[in-house]
Amino acid sequence: MQLVSKIATAMRGGVREGLEQVIDANALRIFEQEIYECEQDLLQAKQQLAQVMVEKKRVQQQVNQIKASITAKEQQATEQLKQGNESAATLLAQDIANQESLLEQQQNQHTILQNYENNLLHNLRQNTQQLEQYRHELRAAKTTQQAQTVMGRLSRHQNPYTHQAINLQDSVERIRRKQENFSDTMTA
């Protein structure tokens, strides 16, 4: 039983190592795709922010309409009281109380939407800055990879040149030795 467990562990290790090699070999592609997916998430967040802003504006318009209605009804109630029509003034006062309750609800909703908008804006700014840093990192990584590829090619091609330089040096030394031998022979 313990042998089966060991074999299973070895197989899991082999699979993990294989997957890590695939991930390492495709690290830039994976990183670039993750950046793309983050960009898409940011677009969705911006659309959500736009919807929140539209809803907040709609609620603000309702708040303004309710305030205007309350002000108008307060003036009507005051006129009704001046005219001695207390029952109409009482009905208007009840309507004003109902509208003030609705106004409070709408103002609370507006405050909630404003807070949500502020949080979204803050998060969008942070994520946009972070994403820009990742884009910069990706450009740097691609540039480094290209430079390493070129350096690898140069080092492969440099070996034949180095070999040729060694051959040239050997030839020059042989010629010098031959000339020195001739000079020595002539001197002797």
Side-chain angles (χ1 to χ4, degrees):
M1 186 68 169
Q2 192 175 24
L3 292 175
V4 173
S5 174
K6 296 286 184 181
I7 291 173
T9 301
M11 289 175 54
R12 285 193 313 268
V15 169
R16 181 189 48 79
E17 288 171 358
L19 292 174
E20 285 177 356
Q21 288 175 352
V22 170
I23 290 170
D24 290 343
N26 294 294
L28 282 178
R29 180 177 294 143
I30 292 168
F31 189 44
E32 194 166 12
Q33 180 62 29
E34 289 170 342
I35 288 174
Y36 173 79
E37 290 172 3
C38 284
E39 289 170 342
Q40 296 307 306
D41 289 344
L42 279 178
L43 285 175
Q44 288 179 352
K46 287 177 182 178
Q47 290 171 348
Q48 185 180 9
L49 174 63
Q51 290 172 350
V52 167
M53 293 171 86
V54 165
E55 180 64 18
K56 184 186 81 167
K57 186 173 183 176
R58 186 189 64 76
V59 169
Q60 182 61 49
Q61 289 172 345
Q62 287 178 345
V63 165
N64 293 340
Q65 288 174 352
I66 294 170
K67 284 180 178 179
S69 176
I70 289 173
T71 302
K73 289 187 182 193
E74 285 174 344
Q75 290 173 352
Q76 290 174 359
T78 303
E79 286 180 26
Q80 292 295 325
L81 283 175
K82 285 182 183 177
Q83 294 174 2
N85 193 351
E86 289 184 22
S87 63
T90 304
L91 288 174
L92 286 169
Q94 289 173 349
D95 195 28
I96 290 170
N98 291 338
Q99 284 192 338
E100 284 178 342
S101 174
L102 180 61
L103 175 65
E104 184 179 342
Q105 291 173 0
Q106 292 296 332
Q107 286 175 328
N108 287 339
Q109 181 66 27
H110 185 271
T111 301
I112 289 169
L113 289 170
Q114 181 64 50
N115 291 337
Y116 190 60
E117 178 184 345
N118 291 341
N119 287 337
L120 272 174
L121 279 171
H122 176 74
N123 289 337
L124 276 172
R125 284 186 192 115
Q126 276 187 323
N127 290 335
T128 301
Q129 289 173 352
Q130 186 68 44
L131 187 59
E132 190 56 40
Q133 289 175 346
Y134 287 141
R135 284 186 196 120
H136 177 71
E137 294 274 340
L138 178 63
R139 286 190 296 272
K142 282 183 173 182
T143 302
T144 301
Q145 184 182 36
Q146 289 171 351
Q148 289 173 345
T149 301
V150 169
M151 292 299 289
R153 286 182 193 151
L154 285 176
S155 68
R156 280 187 296 230
H157 294 296
Q158 204 171 26
N159 288 339
Y161 298 132
T162 304
H163 183 67
Q164 289 174 355
I166 291 171
N167 288 341
L168 288 170
Q169 186 65 33
D170 285 344
S171 295
V172 167
E173 287 179 18
R174 287 182 104 188
I175 292 170
R176 285 183 186 157
R177 272 189 258 132
K178 188 176 180 183
Q179 289 174 349
E180 285 177 11
N181 286 341
F182 180 76
S183 293
D184 289 344
T185 305
M186 290 302 280
T187 309

